[in-house]
Every structure is written in structure tokens, then in C-alpha cells.
Amino acid sequence: MSVSALASKFARQRCTRLAVTAARPFSASARRAGDPWLLPNTPEHVEKTTSPPDAPAPTPLPRPGEPVEKMRARLVYQSRKRGTLESDLLLSTFAQERLNTMDEAELHEFDKLMDEPDWDIYYWATGKRAPPERWVNSRILDKLREHVRNEGKVVRRMPDLS
């Protein structure tokens, strides 16, 4: 067989393989109907991240005898390392501005708030969702809402850990 005949045969086989490959789906798994990574503040995201209204309050870890300064340092770290960038930014800048002036009762209340799911805190603070009964009259949540409104139009960034 000549070289040109071999090349022609190879080209026909390749074209046939390409046609078969193009006709079958790339993946055997079902195609997803929508984007799995919903953008925050969209109705779909709010609906998907909503905690049940009758969900019990999270049980905090017992920390008997924890000194106030150690609690304050722990809360600075926890407010910064939440898991979602939106919550990290809101809570870490709030902690940077307000944590040093909080008394022990407010620190304990903030500690309880930090046990709540990230997206719940975010949507309660931004006013996209009403908080559950246990947080309706919270002074800390009111201060966080005031912080989120950012009436001074301060450009915020993640604070440095010192």
C-alpha cells in the first residue's frame, strides 16, 4: 500500500471516530439544571441557605473559667475565620471596631451569635431575613446591623491579625 493510500485510510478512520465522539455526550452523568454556586443576595441563595424557623439554638462549647481577654482574642480569631468571605468581612471588621469596648455580657452574647450559621448571621445583619425570636431584641445584632449599614461609607478590608 502506498503512503498516500495509508494517509487516506487513516484520515477516513479518524473522521469516523470524531463523528462518533461528537455524537455521544462527553459525560455519562446527568447535566445539572443550574449553577451550583449561587450568588449571595439572590432569591435562590436566600431560599437555599435558610435555616428552618423552628431550628433550636446551637449548643455552644462550654468554656468554664475562660478569662475575658482570652475570650476577646478567641472571638477576634473566630470572627475572621468563618468560612464565607462575606461573613468574615462583616464580622472581622465589626470585631476590630467594637470588641475592645464590649463588656463581659456583650462578649458572651457575641460568642453565642458566633455559634450561628454564617449565612444566617449575614442575612440577619443585612436585613434580608428576620432573625429568630432568640435574636430579635439582641443589642449585639443591632450593633452589627448598624456596622453593616456603614453610614460613614468606610472602605473596609480584612483586618490584620496582631
Side-chain angles (χ1 to χ4, degrees), residues 51-118:
S51 294
D54 57 348
T59 306
L61 292 172
R63 294 182 173 93
E66 182 180 41
V68 173
E69 288 310 311
K70 187 172 182 179
M71 180 192 301
R72 194 171 271 128
R74 177 176 54 78
L75 291 173
V76 165
Y77 183 81
Q78 285 181 337
S79 67
R80 186 184 167 89
K81 303 290 184 183
R82 299 293 300 173
T84 61
L85 183 59
E86 293 84 357
S87 296
D88 290 351
L89 185 59
L90 290 181
L91 292 170
S92 65
T93 55
F94 176 75
Q96 180 187 31
E97 291 177 14
R98 304 279 179 103
L99 216 56
N100 288 332
T101 60
M102 288 184 192
D103 60 22
E104 191 170 355
E106 289 175 320
L107 287 172
H108 284 290
E109 187 177 353
F110 186 60
D111 193 12
K112 286 181 188 174
L113 180 66
M114 298 295 282
D115 290 330
E116 298 285 349
D118 285 355

Side-chain angles (χ1 to χ4, degrees), residues 102-149:
M102 288 184 192
D103 60 22
E104 191 170 355
E106 289 175 320
L107 287 172
H108 284 290
E109 187 177 353
F110 186 60
D111 193 12
K112 286 181 188 174
L113 180 66
M114 298 295 282
D115 290 330
E116 298 285 349
D118 285 355
W119 286 115
D120 285 347
I121 296 171
Y122 176 80
Y123 284 126
W124 298 338
T126 57
K128 300 285 183 188
R129 249 192 259 148
E133 189 63 36
R134 64 183 176 270
W135 290 107
V136 169
N137 297 319
S138 168
R139 292 184 316 175
I140 292 297
L141 192 54
D142 290 342
K143 288 180 181 183
L144 182 59
R145 284 185 183 132
E146 178 186 321
H147 176 78
V148 168
R149 281 194 299 271

